[in-house]
Structure formats: structure tokens, C-alpha cells
Coordinates of all heavy atoms in Angstrom, one line a residue:
A1 N 0.8 -1.2 0.0 CA 0.0 0.0 0.0 C 0.9 1.2 0.0 O 1.9 1.3 0.6 CB -0.9 0.0 1.2
R2 N 0.4 2.3 -0.7 CA 1.2 3.5 -0.8 C 1.1 4.2 0.6 O 0.1 4.2 1.2 CB 0.5 4.4 -1.8 CG 1.3 5.6 -2.2 CD 0.7 6.3 -3.4 NE 0.8 7.7 -3.3 CZ -0.2 8.5 -2.8 NH1 -1.3 7.9 -2.4 NH2 0.0 9.8 -2.7
A3 N 2.2 4.7 1.0 CA 2.3 5.4 2.3 C 1.4 6.6 2.2 O 1.3 7.3 1.2 CB 3.7 5.8 2.6
S4 N 0.8 6.9 3.3 CA -0.1 8.1 3.4 C 0.8 9.4 3.3 O 2.0 9.3 3.6 CB -0.9 8.2 4.7 OG 0.0 8.4 5.8
L5 N 0.2 10.5 3.0 CA 1.0 11.7 3.0 C 1.6 12.0 4.3 O 2.7 12.5 4.4 CB 0.1 12.9 2.5 CG 0.8 14.2 2.4 CD1 1.9 14.2 1.3 CD2 -0.2 15.3 2.0
W6 N 0.8 11.7 5.4 CA 1.3 12.0 6.7 C 2.6 11.2 6.9 O 3.6 11.7 7.4 CB 0.3 11.6 7.8 CG 0.6 12.1 9.1 CD1 0.2 13.3 9.7 CD2 1.5 11.5 10.1 NE1 0.8 13.5 10.9 CE2 1.6 12.4 11.2 CE3 2.2 10.3 10.2 CZ2 2.3 12.1 12.4 CZ3 2.9 10.0 11.3 CH2 3.0 10.9 12.4
Q7 N 2.6 9.9 6.6 CA 3.7 9.0 6.8 C 4.9 9.5 5.9 O 6.0 9.5 6.4 CB 3.3 7.6 6.4 CG 4.4 6.6 6.7 CD 4.7 6.5 8.2 OE1 3.8 6.3 9.0 NE2 6.0 6.6 8.6
T8 N 4.6 9.9 4.7 CA 5.7 10.5 3.9 C 6.4 11.6 4.5 O 7.6 11.7 4.6 CB 5.1 10.9 2.5 OG1 4.5 9.7 1.9 CG2 6.2 11.4 1.6
R9 N 5.6 12.6 5.0 CA 6.1 13.8 5.7 C 6.9 13.4 6.9 O 7.9 14.0 7.3 CB 5.0 14.8 6.0 CG 4.4 15.4 4.8 CD 5.2 16.6 4.2 NE 4.6 17.1 3.0 CZ 4.9 16.7 1.8 NH1 5.9 15.9 1.6 NH2 4.3 17.2 0.8
Y10 N 6.3 12.4 7.7 CA 7.0 12.0 8.9 C 8.3 11.4 8.6 O 9.3 11.7 9.3 CB 6.1 10.9 9.6 CG 6.7 10.3 10.8 CD1 6.7 11.0 12.0 CD2 7.4 9.1 10.8 CE1 7.3 10.5 13.2 CE2 8.0 8.6 11.9 CZ 7.9 9.3 13.1 OH 8.5 8.8 14.3
D11 N 8.4 10.6 7.5 CA 9.7 10.0 7.1 C 10.7 11.1 6.7 O 11.9 11.0 7.0 CB 9.5 9.0 6.0 CG 8.7 7.8 6.4 OD1 8.6 7.5 7.6 OD2 8.2 7.1 5.5
E12 N 10.2 12.2 6.1 CA 11.0 13.3 5.7 C 11.5 14.0 6.9 O 12.7 14.5 7.0 CB 10.2 14.3 4.8 CG 10.0 13.7 3.4 CD 9.0 14.5 2.6 OE1 8.4 15.5 3.1 OE2 8.8 14.2 1.4
L13 N 10.7 14.1 8.0 CA 11.0 14.8 9.2 C 12.1 14.0 9.9 O 13.1 14.5 10.4 CB 9.8 14.9 10.1 CG 10.1 15.6 11.5 CD1 10.7 17.0 11.3 CD2 8.8 15.7 12.3
V14 N 12.0 12.6 9.9 CA 13.0 11.8 10.5 C 14.4 12.0 9.8 O 15.4 12.2 10.4 CB 12.6 10.3 10.4 CG1 13.8 9.4 10.8 CG2 11.4 10.0 11.3
A15 N 14.3 12.1 8.5 CA 15.5 12.3 7.7 C 16.1 13.7 8.0 O 17.3 13.9 8.2 CB 15.2 12.2 6.2
F16 N 15.2 14.7 8.2 CA 15.7 16.1 8.5 C 16.4 16.0 9.9 O 17.4 16.6 10.1 CB 14.4 17.0 8.6 CG 14.8 18.4 9.0 CD1 15.1 19.4 8.1 CD2 14.8 18.8 10.4 CE1 15.4 20.7 8.5 CE2 15.1 20.1 10.8 CZ 15.4 21.0 9.8
K17 N 15.8 15.3 10.9 CA 16.4 15.2 12.2 C 17.8 14.6 12.1 O 18.7 15.0 12.8 CB 15.5 14.5 13.1 CG 16.1 14.5 14.5 CD 15.4 13.8 15.6 CE 16.1 14.1 16.9 NZ 15.6 13.3 18.0
Q18 N 17.9 13.5 11.3 CA 19.2 12.8 11.2 C 20.2 13.8 10.7 O 21.4 13.7 11.1 CB 19.0 11.6 10.3 CG 18.3 10.5 11.0 CD 17.9 9.3 10.0 OE1 18.0 9.5 8.8 NE2 17.5 8.2 10.6
Q19 N 19.8 14.7 9.8 CA 20.7 15.6 9.2 C 21.1 16.8 10.1 O 22.2 17.2 10.1 CB 20.1 16.1 7.9 CG 21.1 16.7 6.9 CD 20.4 17.2 5.6 OE1 19.3 16.8 5.3 NE2 21.0 18.1 4.9
H20 N 20.0 17.3 10.8 CA 20.2 18.6 11.5 C 20.2 18.4 13.0 O 20.5 19.4 13.7 CB 19.1 19.5 11.1 CG 19.0 19.9 9.7 ND1 19.8 20.9 9.1 CD2 18.4 19.3 8.6 CE1 19.6 21.0 7.8 NE2 18.7 20.0 7.5
G21 N 19.8 17.2 13.5 CA 19.9 17.0 15.0 C 18.7 17.5 15.7 O 18.7 17.5 17.0
H22 N 17.7 18.0 15.0 CA 16.4 18.4 15.7 C 15.3 18.3 14.7 O 15.5 18.1 13.5 CB 16.6 19.9 16.2 CG 16.9 20.9 15.1 ND1 15.9 21.4 14.3 CD2 18.0 21.4 14.7 CE1 16.4 22.2 13.4 NE2 17.7 22.3 13.6
C23 N 14.1 18.6 15.2 CA 12.9 18.4 14.4 C 12.2 19.8 14.0 O 11.1 19.8 13.5 CB 11.8 17.6 15.1 SG 12.3 15.9 15.4
N24 N 12.9 20.9 14.3 CA 12.4 22.2 14.1 C 12.6 22.7 12.7 O 13.5 23.5 12.5 CB 12.9 23.2 15.2 CG 12.6 22.7 16.6 OD1 11.6 22.0 16.8 ND2 13.5 22.9 17.5
V25 N 11.8 22.2 11.8 CA 11.9 22.6 10.4 C 11.4 24.0 10.2 O 10.3 24.3 10.6 CB 11.1 21.6 9.5 CG1 11.3 22.0 8.0 CG2 11.4 20.2 9.8
P26 N 12.3 24.9 9.7 CA 11.8 26.3 9.5 C 10.6 26.2 8.5 O 10.6 25.4 7.6 CB 13.0 27.0 8.9 CG 14.2 26.1 9.2 CD 13.7 24.7 9.3
R27 N 9.7 27.1 8.6 CA 8.6 27.2 7.7 C 9.0 27.5 6.3 O 8.4 27.0 5.3 CB 7.6 28.3 8.1 CG 6.2 28.1 7.8 CD 5.4 29.3 8.1 NE 4.8 29.2 9.4 CZ 3.5 28.7 9.7 NH1 2.8 28.3 8.7 NH2 3.0 28.7 10.9
S28 N 10.2 28.1 6.2 CA 10.7 28.5 4.8 C 11.9 27.6 4.4 O 12.8 28.0 3.7 CB 11.1 30.0 4.8 OG 12.1 30.1 5.9
Y29 N 11.8 26.4 4.9 CA 12.9 25.4 4.6 C 13.0 25.1 3.1 O 12.1 24.4 2.6 CB 12.7 24.1 5.4 CG 13.7 23.0 5.2 CD1 15.1 23.3 5.4 CD2 13.3 21.8 4.9 CE1 16.0 22.3 5.3 CE2 14.3 20.7 4.7 CZ 15.6 21.0 4.9 OH 16.5 20.0 4.8
A30 N 14.0 25.7 2.4 CA 14.0 25.6 1.0 C 14.0 24.2 0.4 O 13.4 24.0 -0.7 CB 15.2 26.5 0.5
Q31 N 14.7 23.3 1.0 CA 14.9 22.0 0.5 C 13.5 21.2 0.4 O 13.4 20.3 -0.3 CB 15.9 21.1 1.3 CG 17.3 21.5 0.9 CD 17.8 22.7 1.7 OE1 17.1 23.3 2.5 NE2 19.0 23.2 1.4
N32 N 12.6 21.6 1.3 CA 11.3 20.9 1.4 C 10.3 21.8 2.0 O 10.0 21.7 3.2 CB 11.5 19.6 2.2 CG 10.3 18.7 2.2 OD1 9.2 19.2 1.8 ND2 10.4 17.5 2.5
I33 N 9.8 22.7 1.1 CA 8.8 23.7 1.6 C 7.6 23.1 2.3 O 7.1 23.5 3.3 CB 8.4 24.7 0.5 CG1 9.7 25.4 0.1 CG2 7.3 25.6 0.9 CD1 9.7 26.8 -0.3
P34 N 7.0 22.0 1.6 CA 5.8 21.4 2.3 C 6.1 20.8 3.7 O 5.2 20.9 4.5 CB 5.5 20.2 1.3 CG 6.1 20.6 0.0 CD 7.3 21.4 0.3
L35 N 7.3 20.4 3.9 CA 7.6 19.8 5.2 C 7.5 20.9 6.3 O 7.0 20.6 7.4 CB 9.0 19.2 5.3 CG 9.4 18.5 6.6 CD1 8.5 17.4 6.9 CD2 10.9 18.0 6.5
G36 N 8.0 22.1 6.0 CA 7.9 23.2 7.0 C 6.5 23.5 7.4 O 6.1 23.7 8.6
G37 N 5.6 23.5 6.4 CA 4.2 23.8 6.6 C 3.6 22.6 7.4 O 2.7 22.8 8.3
W38 N 4.0 21.4 7.1 CA 3.4 20.2 7.7 C 3.8 20.2 9.2 O 2.9 19.9 10.0 CB 4.0 19.0 7.0 CG 3.5 17.7 7.6 CD1 2.4 17.0 7.2 CD2 4.2 16.8 8.6 NE1 2.3 15.8 8.0 CE2 3.3 15.7 8.8 CE3 5.3 17.0 9.3 CZ2 3.7 14.7 9.7 CZ3 5.7 16.0 10.2 CH2 4.8 14.8 10.4
V39 N 5.0 20.5 9.5 CA 5.5 20.6 10.9 C 4.6 21.6 11.7 O 4.2 21.3 12.8 CB 7.0 20.9 11.0 CG1 7.4 21.4 12.4 CG2 7.8 19.7 10.6
S40 N 4.4 22.8 11.1 CA 3.6 23.8 11.7 C 2.2 23.3 12.0 O 1.6 23.5 13.0 CB 3.5 25.1 10.8 OG 4.7 25.7 10.7
N41 N 1.6 22.6 11.0 CA 0.3 22.0 11.1 C 0.2 20.9 12.2 O -0.8 20.9 12.9 CB -0.2 21.4 9.8 CG -1.6 21.0 9.8 OD1 -2.5 21.8 10.3 ND2 -1.9 19.9 9.3
Q42 N 1.3 20.2 12.4 CA 1.3 19.2 13.4 C 1.1 19.8 14.8 O 0.4 19.4 15.7 CB 2.5 18.3 13.4 CG 2.7 17.5 12.1 CD 1.5 16.8 11.6 OE1 0.9 16.0 12.3 NE2 1.0 17.2 10.4
R43 N 1.8 21.0 15.0 CA 1.8 21.7 16.2 C 0.3 22.3 16.4 O -0.2 22.3 17.5 CB 2.8 22.8 16.3 CG 4.2 22.3 16.3 CD 5.2 23.4 16.7 NE 6.5 22.8 16.8 CZ 7.5 22.8 15.9 NH1 7.2 23.5 14.8 NH2 8.6 22.2 16.0
Y44 N -0.2 22.8 15.3 CA -1.6 23.4 15.3 C -2.6 22.3 15.7 O -3.4 22.5 16.6 CB -1.9 24.0 14.0 CG -3.3 24.4 13.9 CD1 -3.8 25.6 14.5 CD2 -4.3 23.7 13.1 CE1 -5.1 26.0 14.5 CE2 -5.6 24.1 13.0 CZ -6.0 25.3 13.7 OH -7.3 25.7 13.7
Q45 N -2.5 21.1 15.1 CA -3.4 20.0 15.4 C -3.3 19.6 16.8 O -4.3 19.2 17.5 CB -3.2 18.8 14.4 CG -3.5 19.1 13.0 CD -4.9 19.5 12.7 OE1 -5.8 19.1 13.4 NE2 -5.1 20.3 11.7
Y46 N -2.1 19.5 17.3 CA -1.8 19.1 18.7 C -2.4 20.2 19.6 O -3.0 19.8 20.7 CB -0.3 19.1 19.0 CG 0.1 18.7 20.4 CD1 -0.1 17.4 20.9 CD2 0.6 19.7 21.2 CE1 0.2 17.1 22.2 CE2 0.9 19.4 22.5 CZ 0.8 18.1 23.0 OH 1.1 17.8 24.3
G47 N -2.3 21.4 19.3 CA -3.0 22.5 20.1 C -4.5 22.3 20.2 O -5.1 22.5 21.2
L48 N -5.1 21.8 19.1 CA -6.5 21.6 19.1 C -6.8 20.4 20.1 O -7.8 20.5 20.8 CB -7.0 21.2 17.7 CG -7.0 22.3 16.6 CD1 -7.4 21.8 15.3 CD2 -7.9 23.5 17.0
V49 N -6.0 19.4 20.0 CA -6.2 18.3 20.9 C -6.2 18.7 22.4 O -7.0 18.4 23.2 CB -5.1 17.2 20.7 CG1 -5.1 16.1 21.8 CG2 -5.3 16.5 19.3
C50 N -5.2 19.6 22.7 CA -5.0 20.1 24.0 C -6.2 20.9 24.5 O -6.5 21.0 25.7 CB -3.8 21.0 24.1 SG -2.2 20.1 23.9
K51 N -6.9 21.5 23.5 CA -8.1 22.3 23.9 C -9.4 21.4 23.8 O -10.5 21.9 23.9 CB -8.2 23.5 22.9 CG -7.2 24.5 23.0 CD -7.3 25.6 21.9 CE -6.1 26.5 22.0 NZ -5.8 27.0 20.7
G52 N -9.2 20.1 23.5 CA -10.3 19.3 23.4 C -11.2 19.4 22.2 O -12.4 19.1 22.2
K53 N -10.6 20.0 21.1 CA -11.3 20.2 19.9 C -11.0 19.1 18.9 O -9.9 18.4 19.0 CB -10.9 21.5 19.3 CG -11.3 22.7 20.2 CD -11.0 24.0 19.6 CE -11.6 25.1 20.5 NZ -11.1 26.5 20.1
P54 N -11.8 18.9 17.8 CA -11.5 17.9 16.8 C -10.2 18.2 16.1 O -9.9 19.4 15.8 CB -12.7 18.0 15.8 CG -13.8 18.8 16.6 CD -13.1 19.6 17.6
S55 N -9.5 17.1 15.8 CA -8.2 17.3 15.2 C -7.8 16.1 14.4 O -8.3 15.0 14.7 CB -7.1 17.5 16.3 OG -5.8 17.4 15.9
S56 N -6.9 16.2 13.5 CA -6.4 15.1 12.7 C -5.2 14.4 13.5 O -4.7 13.4 13.1 CB -5.9 15.5 11.3 OG -4.8 16.4 11.5
M57 N -4.8 15.0 14.6 CA -3.7 14.4 15.4 C -4.3 13.2 16.2 O -5.1 13.4 17.1 CB -3.2 15.5 16.4 CG -2.1 15.0 17.3 SD -0.6 14.3 16.4 CE -0.1 15.8 15.5
T58 N -3.8 12.0 15.9 CA -4.2 10.8 16.6 C -3.1 10.5 17.7 O -2.0 11.1 17.7 CB -4.2 9.6 15.6 OG1 -2.9 9.4 15.1 CG2 -5.2 9.9 14.5
E59 N -3.5 9.6 18.6 CA -2.5 9.2 19.6 C -1.3 8.6 19.0 O -0.2 8.8 19.5 CB -3.2 8.3 20.6 CG -4.1 9.0 21.6 CD -4.8 8.0 22.6 OE1 -4.2 6.9 22.8 OE2 -5.8 8.4 23.1
E60 N -1.6 7.8 17.9 CA -0.4 7.1 17.3 C 0.5 8.2 16.7 O 1.7 8.0 16.8 CB -1.0 6.2 16.1 CG -1.7 5.0 16.6 CD -3.2 5.3 17.1 OE1 -3.7 6.4 16.7 OE2 -3.7 4.5 17.8
R61 N 0.0 9.2 16.0 CA 0.8 10.2 15.4 C 1.6 11.0 16.5 O 2.8 11.2 16.3 CB 0.0 11.1 14.6 CG -0.6 10.5 13.3 CD -1.5 11.4 12.5 NE -1.9 10.9 11.3 CZ -2.6 11.5 10.3 NH1 -3.0 12.7 10.6 NH2 -2.9 10.9 9.2
Q62 N 0.9 11.3 17.5 CA 1.5 12.0 18.6 C 2.7 11.2 19.2 O 3.8 11.8 19.4 CB 0.5 12.3 19.7 CG 0.9 13.3 20.8 CD -0.2 13.6 21.8 OE1 -1.4 13.6 21.4 NE2 0.2 13.8 23.0
A63 N 2.4 9.9 19.4 CA 3.5 9.1 20.0 C 4.7 9.0 19.0 O 5.8 9.0 19.4 CB 2.9 7.7 20.3
A64 N 4.4 8.8 17.7 CA 5.4 8.7 16.7 C 6.3 10.0 16.7 O 7.5 9.9 16.6 CB 4.8 8.5 15.3
L65 N 5.7 11.1 16.8 CA 6.4 12.4 16.8 C 7.2 12.5 18.0 O 8.4 13.0 18.0 CB 5.4 13.6 16.6 CG 4.9 13.7 15.2 CD1 3.7 14.6 15.2 CD2 5.9 14.3 14.2
E66 N 6.6 12.2 19.2 CA 7.4 12.3 20.5 C 8.5 11.4 20.5 O 9.6 11.7 21.1 CB 6.4 12.1 21.6 CG 5.5 13.3 21.8 CD 4.4 13.1 22.8 OE1 4.2 12.0 23.4 OE2 3.6 14.1 23.0
E67 N 8.4 10.2 19.8 CA 9.5 9.2 19.8 C 10.7 9.8 19.2 O 11.9 9.4 19.5 CB 9.0 8.0 19.0 CG 9.7 6.7 19.3 CD 9.0 5.6 18.5 OE1 7.9 5.2 19.0 OE2 9.5 5.1 17.5
I68 N 10.6 10.7 18.2 CA 11.8 11.3 17.5 C 12.1 12.6 18.2 O 12.9 13.4 17.6 CB 11.6 11.4 16.0 CG1 10.4 12.3 15.6 CG2 11.5 10.0 15.4 CD1 10.4 12.7 14.2
G69 N 11.5 13.0 19.3 CA 11.9 14.2 20.0 C 11.3 15.5 19.4 O 11.9 16.5 19.5
F70 N 10.1 15.3 18.9 CA 9.4 16.5 18.3 C 9.0 17.5 19.4 O 8.6 17.1 20.5 CB 8.1 16.0 17.6 CG 7.5 17.1 16.8 CD1 7.9 17.4 15.5 CD2 6.3 17.8 17.3 CE1 7.3 18.4 14.8 CE2 5.7 18.7 16.5 CZ 6.2 19.1 15.3
D71 N 9.3 18.8 19.2 CA 9.0 19.8 20.1 C 7.7 20.5 19.8 O 7.6 21.1 18.8 CB 10.2 20.9 20.1 CG 10.0 21.9 21.1 OD1 9.1 21.9 21.9 OD2 10.9 22.8 21.1
W72 N 6.7 20.2 20.7 CA 5.4 20.7 20.4 C 5.3 22.3 20.6 O 4.5 22.9 19.9 CB 4.4 20.1 21.3 CG 4.2 18.6 21.1 CD1 4.7 17.7 22.0 CD2 3.6 18.0 20.0 NE1 4.4 16.4 21.4 CE2 3.8 16.6 20.2 CE3 3.1 18.4 18.8 CZ2 3.3 15.6 19.3 CZ3 2.6 17.5 17.9 CH2 2.7 16.1 18.2
R73 N 6.1 22.8 21.5 CA 5.9 24.2 21.8 C 7.1 25.0 21.4 O 7.9 25.5 22.2 CB 5.7 24.4 23.3 CG 4.6 23.4 23.8 CD 3.9 24.0 25.0 NE 2.9 23.1 25.6 CZ 1.7 22.9 25.0 NH1 1.4 23.4 23.8 NH2 0.9 22.0 25.5
I74 N 7.2 25.2 20.1 CA 8.4 25.9 19.6 C 7.9 27.4 19.3 O 6.8 27.6 18.9 CB 8.9 25.3 18.3 CG1 10.2 26.0 17.8 CG2 7.9 25.4 17.2 CD1 11.4 25.4 18.5
D75 N 8.8 28.3 19.5 CA 8.5 29.7 19.2 C 8.7 29.9 17.7 O 9.8 30.1 17.3 CB 9.4 30.6 20.0 CG 9.1 32.1 19.8 OD1 8.2 32.4 19.0 OD2 9.9 32.9 20.3
Q76 N 7.7 29.9 16.9 CA 7.8 30.0 15.5 C 8.4 31.3 15.0 O 8.9 31.5 14.0 CB 6.4 29.8 14.8 CG 6.0 28.4 14.6 CD 6.9 27.6 13.6 OE1 7.6 28.2 12.8 NE2 6.8 26.3 13.6
D77 N 8.3 32.3 15.9 CA 8.8 33.7 15.6 C 10.3 33.7 15.4 O 10.8 34.6 14.7 CB 8.4 34.7 16.6 CG 6.9 34.8 16.8 OD1 6.2 34.5 15.8 OD2 6.4 35.2 17.8
R78 N 11.0 32.7 15.9 CA 12.4 32.7 15.8 C 12.9 32.4 14.4 O 14.0 32.7 14.0 CB 13.0 31.6 16.7 CG 13.0 32.0 18.1 CD 13.8 31.0 19.0 NE 13.3 29.6 18.7 CZ 14.1 28.5 18.9 NH1 15.3 28.6 19.2 NH2 13.5 27.3 18.7
W79 N 12.0 31.8 13.6 CA 12.4 31.4 12.2 C 12.2 32.6 11.3 O 11.2 32.9 10.8 CB 11.6 30.2 11.8 CG 11.9 29.1 12.7 CD1 11.1 28.5 13.5 CD2 13.1 28.3 12.8 NE1 11.7 27.5 14.2 CE2 12.9 27.3 13.8 CE3 14.4 28.4 12.2 CZ2 14.0 26.5 14.2 CZ3 15.4 27.6 12.6 CH2 15.2 26.6 13.6

């Protein structure tokens, strides 16, 4: 079966971390612009979960991201 878009981006994030040592993809990351937006969206979806609102963030996704050291509360203004 073809990997889902989420899984594809997740794999790209894992590769980014291996290369850079962290998961904080800048929104304007030239090598992979969609990945920067995807990372922002994961934080947004997680924020919805925290507020008890409907979200595409599942427990499995949350666990997978935390497993690679994903930082949920990054100050996006730094980028």
C-alpha cells in the first residue's frame, strides 16, 4: 500500500532530524517547503487536541512524533 501523505512527511522529518539534529523545520525550509508547513500544522493540530477540539492528530501520530523528540511548543517567531 502507498504510504499516506502523513507518513511520507513523517519520514522526511526523520531524515531532517538525522541531518540537523532536531525536528524544528523552518517554515521556509527551501529543500522541502511542504515539510515546514506540515510541521507547523502538526503543532496546530496538537494544540486543538490540548483544547479538546476535533483534530487530525491521533494518539499514534503524537506518539510517533514524540518518539523522535518532536518539540510541540516551539516559538515560530524565531524562524
Side-chain angles (χ1 to χ4, degrees):
R2 191 170 140 266
S4 69
L5 182 61
W6 194 93
Q7 187 63 50
T8 300
R9 292 279 176 263
Y10 177 81
D11 292 342
E12 290 170 355
L13 180 60
V14 170
F16 177 92
K17 186 180 183 190
Q18 285 168 348
Q19 197 180 342
H20 300 274
H22 61 79
C23 297
N24 302 328
V25 183
R27 209 186 266 265
S28 57
Y29 180 55
Q31 282 82 4
N32 189 339
I33 298 216
L35 184 60
W38 181 85
V39 163
S40 296
N41 188 47
Q42 301 314 299
R43 293 195 176 100
Y44 173 73
Q45 295 297 332
Y46 178 74
L48 292 177
V49 170
C50 293
K51 293 174 188 150
K53 294 183 175 168
S55 165
S56 65
M57 179 59 62
T58 63
E59 284 181 21
E60 290 78 17
R61 288 176 175 186
Q62 191 176 328
L65 285 163
E66 285 170 0
E67 204 172 285
I68 61 166
F70 190 79
D71 185 1
W72 296 110
R73 310 212 181 286
I74 188 85
D75 179 6
Q76 279 290 345
D77 297 336
R78 284 190 306 155
W79 298 111

